[in-house]
Amino acid sequence: MMENPALCMPFGVDIDLIKGAMGDPDRVIVRKASNMIGMYADEAALSRLIEHGDPVHYEVFEKAIPDVEGHLIICISKLYPGKVGEEYYMTKGHYHMVAGTAEIYLGVAGQGFMLMKTSDGKCVAEPIRHGRMVYVPPYWAHRSINTDDVPLVSFCVYPGGAGHNYGDIEKEGFPKRIFNKHGVPVTQ
Ligand code: PAN
Ligand code: ZN
């Protein structure tokens, strides 16, 4: 008889709310400037960054939870401070592969925005910071943006089996961007 793929053992994990790190992650995804080609408005500024050290833009710390319905996938997302030209560092952003699945982002440290869009053109920038939760409803693509000068750390929870669809966002982009203009975040 086939074993049920959803079966696993209970566990706990330490989360360092100051450093924005998971005690014992099973997987760490690291995205550098060179993984962000095509995402920022100022492509020349991104090329310069890649040539000058290719800095890490963000890290995602994950536990190995079965990616099937019934589970809740958890991760810590740590988005470093910085700018590409005048545009703040951000994540690639994605729809979920199973588009009708939601996600909860709890702001742990730093501050910025969760930029969310639908395929029919709605777009919302919701502030996220320590102590604030952002609800990403089903069908909304989502990208975090760090407008602070410390890492923006979030604790994310989404349904097992949701998956990630990066391709549609690479094609569509987001209708809004957030720039640093004379020291303050401006949405354009
Ligand atoms: C988050 C994101 C994480 C990194 O865990 O995956 O913040 O952003 P990108 O996946 O867009 O590179 C999430 O939304 N998971 O579904
Ligand atoms: Zn997501």
Side-chain angles (χ1 to χ4, degrees):
M1 209 171 70
M2 289 264 285
E3 200 183 332
N4 182 344
L7 292 179
C8 76
M9 294 300 287
F11 67 90
V13 62
D14 293 316
I15 291 170
D16 187 324
L17 301 183
I18 308 291
K19 281 197 208 138
M22 193 179 268
D24 184 22
D26 294 315
R27 191 160 84 115
V28 182
I29 300 166
V30 180
R31 297 230 209 271
K32 297 179 167 192
S34 53
N35 301 120
M36 300 296 291
I37 291 168
M39 301 283 161
Y40 292 99
D42 189 339
E43 288 176 17
L46 183 66
S47 299
R48 286 195 296 275
L49 261 191
I50 295 170
E51 282 159 25
H52 293 94
D54 196 12
V56 172
H57 281 210
Y58 58 102
E59 293 166 301
V60 184
F61 303 88
E62 296 180 340
K63 289 304 286 179
I65 296 173
D67 192 11
V68 295
E69 202 181 328
H71 276 279
L72 294 171
I73 310 288
I74 56 130
C75 67
I76 291 275
S77 165
K78 182 175 189 180
L79 173 59
Y80 287 92
K83 292 188 290 295
V84 176
E86 294 184 313
E87 193 172 7
Y88 293 104
Y89 277 13
M90 60 194 188
T91 59
K92 281 175 171 247
H94 57 264
Y95 292 98
H96 288 162
M97 196 64 88
V98 178
T101 52
E103 182 157 353
I104 288 167
Y105 273 75
L106 177 65
V108 169
Q111 59 182 336
F113 290 89
M114 183 63 57
L115 188 64
M116 294 169 278
K117 67 155 278 191
T118 57
S119 52
D120 62 359
K122 291 194 244 349
C123 186
V124 172
E126 186 62 38
I128 184 162
R129 57 180 173 269
H130 168 81
R132 184 174 171 86
M133 187 278 293
V134 172
Y135 186 66
V136 180
Y139 303 105
W140 286 74
H142 40 287
R143 150 180 290 169
S144 14
I145 299 171
N146 185 352
T147 57
D148 209 339
D149 48 17
V150 295
L152 172 63
V153 182
S154 321
F155 176 69
C156 319
V157 187
Y158 58 98
H164 296 96
N165 167 5
Y166 294 101
D168 284 346
I169 274 302
E170 277 168 20
K171 276 186 248 138
E172 297 168 8
F174 282 77
K176 292 181 188 170
R177 295 180 176 277
I178 304 187
F179 297 97
N180 178 310
K181 298 275 182 192
H182 310 293
V184 291
V186 171
T187 306
Q188 286 181 342

